[in-house]
Amino acid sequence: MAPKQPRAWQRMLSGRRLDLLDPTAVDIEIEDIAHGLAFVARWNGQTHGDFAYSVAEHSLLVETLFGRLCPTASAADRLTALLHDAPEYVIGDMISPVKAAVGPDYGDLDKRLTAAIHIRFGLPSVTPVRLKKQIKKADQISAWMEATEIAGFTKDEANKLFGAPNPDMIAGLAIELRPPVEARHDLTARHTELLAQMP
């Protein structure tokens, strides 16, 4: 008798059953993504404040920064930026040293989930290289802000790890620590807004 295969699916609050090894677009819902990301802490939770800095909050900031870096970007490109960490609603946010220790399996899982999420919302299953680099730049600026404002890094340390941002890119922006329900609501609302702007 063959050994029973371990369960590889997760039941979502929407009622969807997401197969983590073979995810499909029909099992993806923005409400599940926003809810999950609002409860996933960046920096393994090692941040100052009364609330964790969630991946949902980070995603909103990255999309804002991406819009500043690429002011003529399409709604689809901005939605891609907003969803750049969306797979973390089921696989969590691992800091870079942990990702390196886990190895390529984490990256493969991330790619499969990203493809399913993108297909669900009318985006290319694979992000074009140029767009991915632009989003990564916004992600690095966000990481610098997070590192220096809430994660205990000095500016010199953050500059070495993430690069010093152009002051114009971060003018008027600050890290917000809010209850998960607020980040969840804003992520869902921004997703709806961008989706409505797509052809």
Side-chain angles (χ1 to χ4, degrees):
M1 187 171 166
K4 186 178 178 182
Q5 291 295 317
R7 178 170 66 88
W9 56 267
Q10 179 177 350
R11 184 179 179 84
M12 299 295 161
L13 288 178
S14 64
R16 298 290 189 185
R17 186 180 287 194
L18 181 67
D19 186 331
L20 301 183
L21 299 180
D22 187 23
T24 62
V26 296
D27 292 319
I28 304 293
E29 298 292 348
I30 189 57
E31 292 80 10
D32 292 332
I33 293 172
H35 182 83
L37 294 184
F39 285 95
V40 175
R42 294 266 295 166
W43 305 92
N44 277 349
Q46 297 301 303
T47 52
H48 298 288
D50 294 330
F51 294 102
Y53 187 70
S54 72
V55 176
E57 205 75 75
H58 165 77
S59 298
L60 289 160
L61 179 58
V62 168
E63 192 260 326
T64 297
L65 290 164
F66 173 76
R68 290 186 176 194
L69 288 167
C70 306
T72 61
S74 67
D77 288 351
R78 292 190 74 138
L79 183 58
T80 304
L82 184 71
L83 297 173
H84 77 285
D85 279 339
E88 294 178 7
Y89 85 110
V90 287
I91 59 177
D93 178 43
M94 290 190 193
I95 59 173
S96 296
V98 175
K99 287 179 184 175
V102 170
D105 288 347
Y106 178 89
D108 292 342
L109 182 57
D110 185 272
K111 285 176 188 174
R112 287 195 295 272
L113 285 163
T114 296
I117 291 164
H118 282 196
I119 291 167
R120 171 67 175 85
F121 301 119
L123 301 170
S125 60
V126 177
T127 304
V129 173
R130 185 168 179 267
L131 176 58
K132 194 167 188 171
K133 286 181 178 177
Q134 291 167 329
I135 294 170
K136 185 63 180 175
K137 188 169 183 182
D139 194 34
Q140 293 288 92
I141 296 170
S142 177
W144 185 94
M145 291 177 64
E146 296 163 28
T148 57
E149 291 185 38
I150 58 171
F153 287 66
T154 66
K155 287 185 178 180
D156 285 342
E157 288 173 324
N159 290 347
K160 288 175 186 172
L161 289 169
F162 310 111
N166 181 328
D168 292 340
M169 286 295 109
I170 61 174
L173 297 177
I175 298 301
E176 290 189 69
L177 298 175
R178 304 186 291 167
V181 65
E182 293 181 20
R184 180 181 70 200
H185 174 271
D186 288 357
L187 182 65
T188 305
R190 184 57 179 153
H191 174 272
T192 301
E193 185 178 15
L194 289 169
L195 209 57
Q197 294 172 18
M198 289 169 57

